[in-house]
Amino acid sequence: MIEERKLNRLSYGLTALTLLLLALVLSAVALASLRSFERVLQPQLAAKAEVVAEVIVSQVDRGLQAGVPLTELRGFTDFADIVLADHPEIVRVELRDAEGRVLFASSGAPLPPEDAAWAGEEPVTLGGERLGSLAVAVAPGYVAERLREIEGEVLVILLVSLFLTFEILLVVVAMFVTEPVRRLGRLLAEGEQGVFRHTAAGEGSDEIGRFARAFNGLVRRRQARYLRLRESLGPATPPEIAALVQDLDRRLQPEERPEDRAAGSVADVRMPLFLFFFATELSRSFLPIFARDLYTPLPWLSYEVTIALPIALYLLLVAVLTPLAGALAGRFGSRRLFLIGLLPTGLGLLMTALAGDILALILWRCVNAAGFALTTIAALDYIARAAGRNRRAEGMAIYTAAFVTAGLCGTSIGGILADRLGYHATFLVAAVLALLSAIMLVVNLRARGAEASGGGVRLRPADFLLVLTSARFQLLILIAAIPTQLLTTGYLFYATPMLLDAVGYSTSVIGQVMMVYFVVMILLGVPSARLADRFGRYRLFAGAGLLLAGFAALLPAATEGAAHFALWVALSMGLVGIAHALSIPAQGAILLQEAERVGGERRTASIAAYRVLERVGSVLGPLLAATLAAVYGYAWTIGLLGLYVLACGLVFTLVSLLRRRGGAAATN
Amino acid sequence: MGWGNERRKRGLGPALALLLGLVAGAAGLGAAGLGGPGIASAQEAGAAAPYRVYIATFRGCEEVCEAFKAYLTGRGLAVDFVERSIERDVSRIPELVEEVRDLRPDLLVTWGTAVSLGMVGRYDAEDRSAYVTDIPTVYLYVSEPARAGLVADEEVSGRPNVAGANIGVPLDAQLRVMQSYRDVSRIGVVYGANEANSVAAVAALRDTATEMGIEVVEEQLALGADGTPDPESIAPAMQALAAQRPAFLVTVSSTFIIQNIEAYTAAAVEAGLPVFTSAELPIRQGKAMLALFASLSSIGQVAGYQAEQILREGADPATLPTPSLRRFTLLINMPVALELRSYPPMLVLQFAELMG
């Protein structure tokens, strides 16, 4: 039997090698394209300088022709500043007389005449006589700065293509190598015991498929020989060989394996799920800005609440609909539910792309929320059944990985797309991705997973009551889970785009900044969970995470107005990522412990109720942030949220320490 | 990665914003509802005869009157225009009143203050027997209808059959245009105290200027034996005003000034005073340096808009709001500016029309 660990090591090695080669090739291509970009940019800049010079000189000419002397062109500075405001790459213009003396200039620091920034001079003439000239200086770092921007985007695309390739490789290797080999391995292990009842699925033209066919031929020949032998024995088995026949029956009677017939593999759903999340995450970096741009007054609602609604209402609906969707999974089966869920998702994204006012945006975001709830529940249900009881954690990890990777790719690529194509068109791209996801599902899951599962836990009001009245749940939910959710939606998803947009950053940069959070989550999520498991100090991890997150959220207010402000926000984002990687898995572990203490049959239900209740924080996040921002501005709003999380972290740590001491005293 | 490169956001200068607001598209009308697609009416469906519009003018159908007619036909109304001119002879007005009473047009249009007052009288006239009282009337090219007593109020005429538009340039806009041209801390006026409308105009100017932190200095013209200003007193008054160094001399509403516009403005320039005016005549015929005024075509159009409301919508002239123009023509008399060495700044140059 092939050792699974060796197989995994092989596929991981291949994956790593592929990614390395891809990274090298992509880097080379990126480098070449940056070079050609630079070649194009330089002459464009010169042409721009010429256009600006012509615009200003034409107005100077108008004054001269009207009889105003060159030395009396009052208001030149005001005029030049207004022209330059539209051309950030031009830093200074000077009106010089025939001897080269500076008569007038745009405002700002003067440049020495020999400075390299001076890009050209346009003569100023009247009736053929040269009276002077207009000199134009371009920003010295402009080309470099633009190149750095493009580098940022190229880097993002490179990173995202690597993640995408990784996703695809994992799926392909799982579908065509790991899973078939694992199945063959099981059959060979049976063969070792002398059992040849099962044939391998997936006879194909590749090596594994040919091997499977050869192996199956072997099995079938043995089975056929055995069946002929049994027939020759006639209907009545002589009693003296009954035990032998029974033994041979057990080993050679053809039988269909239950797991070959059943749900299939988790890998089938991974790619469509990734695409689905990718589609929903594309708008992450600009949704609040989009809502603000579409704002039209709604009755009874303030401006702040109105523009936060597309996000808040979406989160609320997802929270409310998820338990309901659980019941539907039981009725329709996960594949059909998955497809049903993609219908409102695709429609919602398409109609959002066409939305003309805030009401339409809110409405279609709600439709999207329904799609999200249905699809995620269907996916979780499918994964739970396909993975089987003993590989459920692995299945969940795959789900989470798809979500976070898509968050990373969607947020950054969405920002770039919005920058280039506009908000509406980006939603259109998202709708196409959702459609693609549906097509992959139809193809991948055609034959399988049609039957209904047993259904999830049905929640009762008593479950919520249980969570709300238990002091241990209260502590966890009020000062750990809700603040964490609140910070995620209020700071990361709502205030970050608004803050950076207000300072003047493009959605492309906003996407890159937000991506940092996801990158950190991907890199640290699993290791930090393992670390917490090893030490078993979940409360310490949860408390430290809260404190760090609160501290990180103070950064934007502390560095507001600083040069490279986006870098500070990105740092804050990364720290929140670390904090959440520390805190969220630990909170989950504490939740399980508390639920164990509750015990009884409602244990699972109480966890589900808790998960619904903590969403209160995520719904409140955007609303609170929008309301605070109207008074304090975005940087200080984030700071206030940070202070709140910091305070929660302190209380949580204190209470945990007291309990620990109390617990220790009790055991003594 | 370009994270330090913030978009540069610089607003337009306040002076430019003002000029854009006041001057851009000088032919356009600021009044709400002007322009836009026409509304089909019963008349356009061919159900009714063309409207009959009677136009009474002072000296024939000139540019304002032509713009008025062009507006109505351009809006798709079929109109038969009946044009009558009094040929600068106010004694002929009663003939026109008689003719209007006989013809009973759908609308009467009266050109200028004299013809308008002659045809429909003051709003508070007790004996109305000599006036048209039962035909909807739109007054055209009346610079100060309320002050002339043609209407009771600037917002709405308050008369059952009279409507029109305000075509004057708001005082604060006048002052801002002067400020965009040069630093203005003081302005001056030279007028005769015998004319009540001049005294009222100076008081209004002083109110607005004081609010904007601008001082108003004044010189009065010496009155002759007949109680009107002596033309000989213009030059000394200008010299006296110039000694107080105002940034501009502002013309105020005055029959005397209009009659002596060439001498009046020439004396100002002689004294080194740039003249600002909110009428067209002082800059076209005199030596005013800077003018902000409603273009003739926009005056015709805004009256046409009022006529359309009455004809097509059946609006009641008594309650029809009186619109005000918001876009004006900025004109610089370049020879005078050069003579005074008061050169226009580049932003003003960009938006102004230049003379000479």
Side-chain angles (χ1 to χ4, degrees), chain A residues 523-583:
Chain A
L523 294 180
L524 295 186
V526 176
S528 115
R530 287 215 181 114
L531 213 63
D533 280 338
R534 185 176 303 167
F535 290 112
R537 302 284 295 274
Y538 297 121
R539 287 178 193 281
L540 184 74
F541 273 75
L546 282 170
L547 290 173
L548 180 61
F551 166 74
L554 296 179
L555 265 182
T559 59
E560 201 180 9
H564 304 286
F565 179 55
L567 281 177
W568 287 104
V569 180
L571 176 66
S572 166
M573 226 29 50
L575 289 177
V576 174
I578 296 174
H580 282 183
L582 287 175
S583 170

Side-chain angles (χ1 to χ4, degrees), chain A residues 62 74 88 149 505 512 567, chain B residues 3 5 8 181 343 346 352:
Chain A
R62 186 169 149 83
R74 298 190 301 116
E149 272 175 45
Y505 287 105
Q512 291 168 29
L567 281 177
Chain B
W3 288 2
N5 187 28
R8 247 196 272 179
Y181 196 99
Y343 304 109
M346 284 191 71

Side-chain angles (χ1 to χ4, degrees), chain A residues 278-508:
Chain A
F278 191 73
T280 57
E281 292 287 323
L282 268 186
S283 58
R284 178 71 79 208
S285 61
F286 63 83
L287 189 58
I289 305 169
F290 187 54
R292 186 197 61 200
D293 289 355
L294 286 183
Y295 174 75
T296 37
L298 293 183
W300 307 301
L301 292 174
S302 73
Y303 169 77
E304 291 74 30
V305 170
T306 309
I307 58 171
L309 270 186
I311 296 182
L313 218 54
Y314 178 91
L315 293 166
L316 179 71
L317 267 178
V318 169
V320 171
L321 290 177
T322 302
L324 299 178
L328 290 178
R331 185 177 313 162
F332 291 112
S334 42
R335 174 177 176 262
R336 221 179 308 159
L337 193 65
F338 213 139
L339 285 171
I340 294 172
L342 279 167
L343 195 74
T345 304
L347 184 72
L349 290 170
L350 181 71
M351 295 309 290
T352 307
L354 304 174
D357 57 32
I358 190 97
L359 206 61
L361 177 66
I362 294 173
L363 175 76
W364 294 113
R365 288 302 293 168
C366 288
V367 172
N368 255 351
F372 188 86
L374 290 171
T375 310
T376 49
I377 283 297
L380 284 170
D381 187 63
Y382 180 89
I383 289 172
R385 283 185 306 108
R389 191 168 288 273
N390 40 5
R391 287 175 60 207
R392 193 156 287 184
E394 194 188 323
M396 269 312 295
I398 286 174
Y399 175 88
T400 311
F403 180 70
V404 182
T405 313
L408 183 156
C409 300
T411 308
S412 52
I413 293 289
I416 295 174
L417 285 179
D419 235 9
R420 298 274 184 277
L421 310 175
Y423 302 144
H424 294 277
T426 307
F427 276 105
L428 221 54
V429 172
V432 171
L433 284 175
L435 182 72
L436 211 62
S437 167
I439 292 171
M440 290 185 93
L441 272 177
V442 173
V443 173
N444 278 4
L445 307 186
R446 189 161 29 204
R448 307 167 181 150
E451 84 279 15
S453 74
V457 192
R458 193 153 301 183
L459 283 174
R460 294 193 302 229
D463 300 322
F464 292 102
L465 212 63
L466 176 76
V467 172
L468 285 174
T469 52
S470 146
R472 291 177 169 280
F473 276 126
Q474 277 170 3
L475 176 74
L476 189 63
I477 202 160
L478 287 179
I479 59 176
I482 287 182
T484 303
Q485 297 277 339
L486 201 135
L487 196 71
T488 308
T489 60
Y491 172 22
L492 303 187
F493 299 161
Y494 183 82
T496 306
M498 297 297 257
L499 172 75
L500 292 174
D501 179 72
V503 181
Y505 287 105
S506 64
T507 49
S508 173

Side-chain angles (χ1 to χ4, degrees), chain A residues 59-60 62-63 66-67 69 72 74 76 79 81-82 88 145 148-149 152 503-505 509 512 564 566-567 570, chain B residues 1-10 12-13 16 181-182 334 338 343-347 349-350 352-354:
Chain A
Q59 283 304 313
V60 168
R62 186 169 149 83
E72 298 285 348
R74 298 190 301 116
F76 178 90
F79 174 72
D81 284 353
I82 287 171
E145 187 66 36
R148 266 202 298 284
E149 272 175 45
V503 181
Y505 287 105
V509 172
Q512 291 168 29
H564 304 286
L567 281 177
Chain B
M1 296 174 69
W3 288 2
N5 187 28
E6 292 153 26
R7 236 183 283 145
R8 247 196 272 179
K9 285 182 179 169
R10 251 191 281 178
L12 294 170
L16 177 72
Y181 196 99
R182 59 190 297 190
M334 278 314 292
L338 299 181
Y343 304 109
M346 284 191 71
L347 283 174
L349 264 178
Q350 204 181 2
E353 288 178 28
L354 304 180

Side-chain angles (χ1 to χ4, degrees), chain A residues 52-73:
Chain A
V52 167
E54 276 169 14
V55 165
I56 295 178
V57 165
S58 74
Q59 283 304 313
V60 168
D61 281 349
R62 186 169 149 83
L64 294 178
Q65 273 156 17
V68 181
L70 189 66
T71 50
E72 298 285 348
L73 279 170

